[in-house]
C-alpha cells in the first residue's frame, strides 16, 4: 500500500528525514514510532501529499505521491493531531462540508456521511455542535471526517493523545474494528507502546533514520531481554537477564531445592523503544546479575 525509497527531507540545515526506506502492506495496522523530533510528522506530511520531499520516491497505492497528489488524496483519510473541524457546525454538517469538498453530491454525499456516522457510532450525536462534544466524541468525529471519502488507507497522527484511559480504549477499539472489518490499512503514530504492541508491523525512527523494523514479537526478541527474579529460602535475592523466557528453566532448576519466590518480567515494547532511542538502558536491561552462581554458570 505504501512504498518509501531513500526518502529525504531537509528544512535548511535540519535533516528531518534522512534517507529512510520501508513499505506498508495492504490491510496491515502499521505503527511509526519515534521520540519528539524523530521525523514522524514530516514522513506523514509527505505521504499525505501535504509536504514536498527533498528527494526519494514515495508511492501510495501504487501512485507516485509527488506526481499525482490528487489521486493519492482520493485513496486516503487523515486524522490530524489538531482538530480541523468547525466548532459552530453540527457533527453531520461538518461531515457534509467535508464530503462536498471531495466532490460528493446529493444522495451519494448523504449515504457516505451516513456510513461514516454509522462506523463511528455517532448516530445519537449527529445534530450536536462539534464545539460542545467531549474529547472522545470529538475524536470520533475527526475519524468520521477521515472516513467520508471511503479511504483504503487511514493515517492517524497520535489519535489517542490527551484522552482519558477509557476513551482511549474506545477510540482504539474503533480503529481496530475499522482495520479488521473493513480491511482498511491503518498507518499510525502513537506514544502509547501498548497500542503499538498490537500492530502488525512497526518502524522505529530516531533523528530521521530507521533504527529498527519488525513485528512486536521480532522487536522484543531482538532489542530487549526478560528478567528473572529469584528469592531463595536463605533470603538471597538474584536477578538474571534472559534472552528468552526459556532460559529461566535451567536457572530455576539449579535453585529448586531452596526457592522462596520466582518472578519473570517479560520485556515490553517500552523497553525496546527506550533501548533504541534513549541511549540509556531500559529497566529490563538495567539490572546486572547479582548471583555468583549465574556468573560461574556462564549466564549473560
Ligand atoms: P516528530 O513528528 O517525530 O516529532 P517532526 O517530523 O515534526 O518530528 O520533526 C523532525 C525534525 O524536523 C525536528 O528537528 C523538527 O524540529 C524539524 N522540523 C519539523 N518541521 C519543521 C519546519 N517547518 N521548519 C524547520 N524545521 C522543522
Amino acid at each position: 500500500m505504501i512504498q518509501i525509497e531513500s526518502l529525504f527531507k531537509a528544512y535548511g540545515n535540519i535533516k528531518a528525514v534522512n534517507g529512510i526506506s520501508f513499505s506498508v502492506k495492504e490491510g496491515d495496522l502499521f505503527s511509526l514510532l519515534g521520540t519528539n523530533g524523530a521525523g514522524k510528522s514530516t514522513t506523514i506530511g509527505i505521504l499525505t501529499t501535504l509536504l514536498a520531499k527533498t528527494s526519494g520516491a514515495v508511492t501510495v497505492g501504487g501512485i507516485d505521491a509527488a506526481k499525482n497528489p490528487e489521486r493519492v488524496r482520493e485513496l486516503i483519510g487523515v486524522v490530524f493531531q489538531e482538530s480541523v473541524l468547525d466548532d459552530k457546525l453540527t457533527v453531520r454538517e461538518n461531515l457534509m462540508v467535508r464530503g462536498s469538498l471531495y466532490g460528493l453530491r446529493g444522495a451519494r454525499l448523504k449515504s457516505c456521511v451516513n456510513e461514516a456516522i454509522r462506523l463511528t457510532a455517532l448516530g445519537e450525536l449527529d445534530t450536536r455542535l462539534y464545539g460542545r462534544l467531549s474529547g472522545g466524541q470529538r475524536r470520533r468525529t475527526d475519524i468520521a471526517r477521515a472516513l467520508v471519502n471511503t479511504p483504503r488507507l487511514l493515517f492517524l497522527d497520535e489519535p489517542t493523545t490527551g484522552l482519558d484511559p477509557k476513551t482511549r480504549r474506545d477510540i482504539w477499539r474503533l480503529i481496530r474494528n475499522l482495520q479488521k472489518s473493513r480491511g482498511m490499512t491503518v498507518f499510525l503514530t502513537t506514544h502509547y507502546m501498548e497500542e503499538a504492541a498490537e500492530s502488525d508491523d512497526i518502524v522505529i525512527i530516531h533523528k530521521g533514520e530507521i533504527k529498527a523494523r519488525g513485528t512486536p514479537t521480532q522487536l522484543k526478541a531482538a532489542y530487549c531481554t526478560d528478567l528473572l527474579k529469584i528469592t531463595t529460602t536463605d533470603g538471597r535475592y538474584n536477578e538474571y537477564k534472559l534472552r528468552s523466557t526459556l532460559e529461566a528453566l535451567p536457572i530455576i532448576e539449579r535453585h529448586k531445592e531452596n526457592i522462596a519466590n520466582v518472578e519473570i518480567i517479560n520485556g515490553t515494547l517500552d523497553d525496546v523503544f527506550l533501548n533504541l532511542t534513549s541511549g540509556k538502558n531500559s529497566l529490563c536491561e538495567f539490572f546486572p546479575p547479582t548471583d555468583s552462581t549465574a556468573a560461574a554458570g556462564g549466564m549473560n
Side-chain angles (χ1 to χ4, degrees), residues 5-255:
E5 282 293 331
S6 309
L7 180 64
F8 187 85
K9 170 74 182 178
Y11 298 102
N13 292 332
I14 300 168
K15 292 172 179 166
V17 173
N18 196 6
I20 62 173
S21 302
F22 64 87
S23 54
V24 177
K25 228 171 59 209
E26 179 148 25
D28 267 6
L29 173 61
F30 174 90
S31 293
L32 181 65
L33 306 179
T35 50
N36 286 334
K40 303 180 298 295
S41 297
T42 302
T43 305
I44 286 202
I46 295 166
L47 284 169
T48 55
T49 76
L50 298 172
L51 267 180
K53 64 187 189 230
T54 303
S55 65
V58 174
T59 60
V60 177
I63 299 161
D64 187 313
K67 288 194 187 131
N68 290 301
E70 287 84 13
R71 283 185 58 209
V72 167
R73 273 179 233 148
E74 285 166 15
L75 291 180
I76 65 174
V78 188
V79 180
F80 299 98
Q81 280 183 32
E82 300 296 323
S83 169
V84 291
L85 293 177
D86 192 330
D87 280 352
K88 297 193 176 63
L89 296 181
T90 67
V91 167
R92 181 174 288 276
E93 285 164 352
N94 266 302
L95 300 181
M96 295 291 279
V97 168
R98 177 71 192 167
S100 47
L101 287 177
Y102 271 107
L104 299 169
R105 300 278 178 269
R108 172 96 182 114
L109 171 61
K110 210 169 159 200
S111 91
C112 286
V113 166
N114 283 343
E115 180 64 358
I117 286 175
R118 189 185 70 76
L119 286 170
T120 49
L122 283 165
E124 288 177 9
L125 298 169
D126 69 339
T127 55
R128 289 266 289 276
L129 291 180
Y130 180 72
R132 295 267 170 85
L133 300 176
S134 71
Q137 292 165 344
R138 288 168 74 97
R139 214 77 272 251
R140 270 188 3 232
T141 311
D142 298 338
I143 294 173
R145 170 196 159 277
L147 296 176
V148 168
N149 64 325
T150 52
R152 281 167 56 199
L153 169 61
L154 186 63
F155 288 93
L156 299 140
D157 198 359
E158 295 183 22
T160 57
T161 297
L163 300 175
D164 66 72
K166 183 187 173 300
T167 310
R168 258 179 62 201
R169 200 183 55 202
D170 292 347
I171 295 293
W172 186 246
R173 278 196 190 138
L174 166 62
I175 294 166
R176 291 292 279 168
N177 195 34
L178 288 170
Q179 184 228 351
K180 290 230 163 93
S181 67
R182 312 277 298 182
M184 206 177 275
T185 312
V186 177
F187 187 112
L188 181 81
T189 69
T190 180
H191 284 302
Y192 298 104
M193 292 299 135
E194 70 273 25
E195 292 177 355
E198 287 188 38
S199 314
D200 299 301
D201 203 9
I202 294 174
V203 163
I204 298 180
I205 57 171
H206 191 53
K207 297 184 179 162
E209 292 176 6
I210 292 184
K211 296 292 265 186
R213 155 163 210 183
T215 64
T217 310
Q218 287 168 339
L219 292 176
K220 281 189 273 185
Y223 299 105
C224 77
T225 52
D226 293 344
L227 187 69
L228 169 66
K229 299 178 173 188
I230 295 181
T231 311
T232 44
T233 45
D234 58 7
R236 288 181 69 200
Y237 170 69
N238 305 305
E239 287 173 345
Y240 305 84
K241 286 196 285 180
L242 310 171
R243 276 162 304 179
S244 86
T245 316
L246 280 181
E247 286 183 354
L249 293 176
I251 306 172
I252 294 169
E253 179 70 20
R254 255 199 329 269
H255 290 280

